[in-house]
């Protein structure tokens, strides 16, 4: 089992920044691809971005140029830096772990999920 705990959500003004973190425990972290997803009412869980075991990142078009994913394997932590937040960005953000070094854009490709952290954008 892998346990994931997200933190860093909160209320930010439009155009502001927020940094989310996800700490993994329970199993080896360094060989797992990690993903960030978000979900809002009435929508399916949406891919935000991912990072492979060796640090290669992939982003959804909606966040490219604004969001950055990084990982610190010794700390078992992956980060989502969200900059220039837009009104469409508020959501519950979820960290996910995939038992593979390769990423997936499909939430069904991930094996473990955190409980989510709320990010809210105010005008």
């Amino acid at each position: 089992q892998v346990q994931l705990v997200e933190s860093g959500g909160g209320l930010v003004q439009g155009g502001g920044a927020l940094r989310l973190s996800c700490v993994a425990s329970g199993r080896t972290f360094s060989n797992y691809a990690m993903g960030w997803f978000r979900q809002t009412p009435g929508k399916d869980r949406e891919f935000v971005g991912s990072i492979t075991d060796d640090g290669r990142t992939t982003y959804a078009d909606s966040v490219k140029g604004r969001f950055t994913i990084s990982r610190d394997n010794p700390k078992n932590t992956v980060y989502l830096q969200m900059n220039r937040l837009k009104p469409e960005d508020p959501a519950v953000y979820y960290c996910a772990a995939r038992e593979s070094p390769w990423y997936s854009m499909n939430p069904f490709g991930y094996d473990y999920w955190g409980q989510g952290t709320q990010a809210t954008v105010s005008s």
Side-chain angles (χ1 to χ4, degrees):
Q1 281 291 114
V2 172
Q3 293 80 47
L4 305 173
V5 179
E6 304 98 335
S7 63
L11 176 63
V12 181
Q13 291 185 331
L18 199 63
R19 190 193 195 203
L20 308 183
S21 63
C22 172
V23 179
S25 63
R27 295 188 67 180
T28 300
F29 171 80
S30 61
N31 293 331
Y32 286 19
M34 302 293 295
W36 284 98
F37 294 79
R38 64 187 182 185
Q39 190 163 24
T40 56
K43 292 186 176 181
D44 294 331
R45 192 163 294 185
E46 176 188 9
F47 174 77
V48 174
S50 64
I51 186 166
T52 64
D53 65 325
D54 58 354
R56 290 171 290 175
T57 55
T58 302
Y59 301 97
D61 289 341
S62 59
V63 305
K64 284 181 180 177
R66 300 189 298 118
F67 291 10
T68 302
I69 297 173
S70 61
R71 67 191 297 162
D72 186 342
N73 287 342
K75 296 182 178 180
N76 293 336
T77 302
V78 63
Y79 303 95
L80 177 64
Q81 179 68 48
M82 304 188 292
N83 296 327
R84 290 177 282 140
L85 287 161
K86 297 180 178 181
E88 61 264 33
D89 292 325
V92 177
Y93 283 76
Y94 295 91
C95 175
R98 172 175 165 85
E99 291 184 340
S100 169
W102 308 108
Y103 84 99
S104 175
M105 299 176 68
N106 192 323
F108 292 106
Y110 290 81
D111 301 290
Y112 307 101
W113 294 85
Q115 297 184 45
T117 186
Q118 177 72 50
T120 302
V121 179
S122 64
S123 60

